Amino acid sequence: MALRKIRTGNDECLRKVCKPVKEINNTMLTLLDDMADTMYDADGVGLAAPQVGILRRAVVIDVGEGLVELINPEILETEGSVKDSEGCLSIPGATAEVIRPAYAKVKALNRNGEEITVEGRGLMARALCHEIDHLDGILYIDKAVGDIMY
């Protein structure tokens, strides 16, 4: 496993819509492993493939409850709303208030190609929505309510 360079600022990869993963092979498994290592090394709670320069629909999340790997994630359902401070490994040193769902339900494939459903409240719901936004070229600053704090 290896650490990958996290794309930051105005890197064009961060603004592109990612393509679906068509095959879960050794390259994809290595990407998931590297993304997890990179996220943990950077003290993040989530990381999406475009943040490491790969335009594929894959994310990793760990809000303290264990690693969650999602391939081709889709939000099925959301509920409620919460305004809270948010940051991003691709925009180091900045935070902003963002309104996100209080609950999110997502379907995706796991590393074995099996369809899974992940539900989250609070930080997990926020992380799911934040990371899936990355797959569509959306950054949290696009949804900021008020000023971005540096």
Side-chain angles (χ1 to χ4, degrees):
M1 278 154 292
L3 297 180
R4 304 234 182 166
K5 179 182 185 278
I6 297 174
R7 305 293 181 102
T8 59
N10 293 324
D11 189 298
E12 65 182 37
C13 272
L14 298 174
R15 292 302 190 169
K16 296 201 173 180
V17 175
C18 296
K19 295 180 180 176
V21 174
K22 292 185 178 175
E23 179 185 2
I24 300 172
N25 54 25
N26 286 340
T27 301
M28 177 52 57
L29 298 178
T30 298
L31 173 63
L32 290 170
D33 292 341
D34 290 354
M35 286 171 56
D37 287 347
T38 303
M39 174 188 71
Y40 290 130
D41 184 70
D43 291 324
V45 297
L47 193 68
Q51 291 181 273
V52 292
I54 306 297
L55 295 175
R56 292 290 177 266
R57 299 188 77 78
V59 304
V60 295
I61 297 171
D62 189 344
V63 297
E65 301 168 3
L67 181 64
V68 176
E69 300 171 321
L70 303 172
I71 299 168
N72 298 332
E74 295 176 42
I75 296 174
L76 296 176
E77 182 181 332
T78 62
E79 182 177 291
S81 67
V82 177
K83 182 168 91 170
D84 203 353
S85 183
E86 205 165 299
C88 181
L89 295 175
S90 289
I91 307 173
T95 60
E97 296 286 312
V98 178
I99 298 171
R100 297 272 189 197
Y103 165 84
K105 181 177 182 180
V106 172
K107 80 170 180 177
L109 299 177
N110 66 15
R111 66 171 35 235
N112 300 317
E114 301 160 334
E115 188 170 295
I116 59 170
T117 302
V118 176
E119 297 179 81
R121 294 194 178 278
L123 182 57
M124 185 60 169
R126 181 167 296 276
L128 286 165
C129 294
H130 177 113
E131 298 309 328
I132 291 171
D133 272 355
H134 272 298
L135 304 180
D136 293 317
I138 300 167
L139 300 176
Y140 82 96
I141 56 174
D142 302 332
K143 297 184 172 191
V145 178
D147 294 335
I148 299 167
M149 307 301 286
Y150 290 93

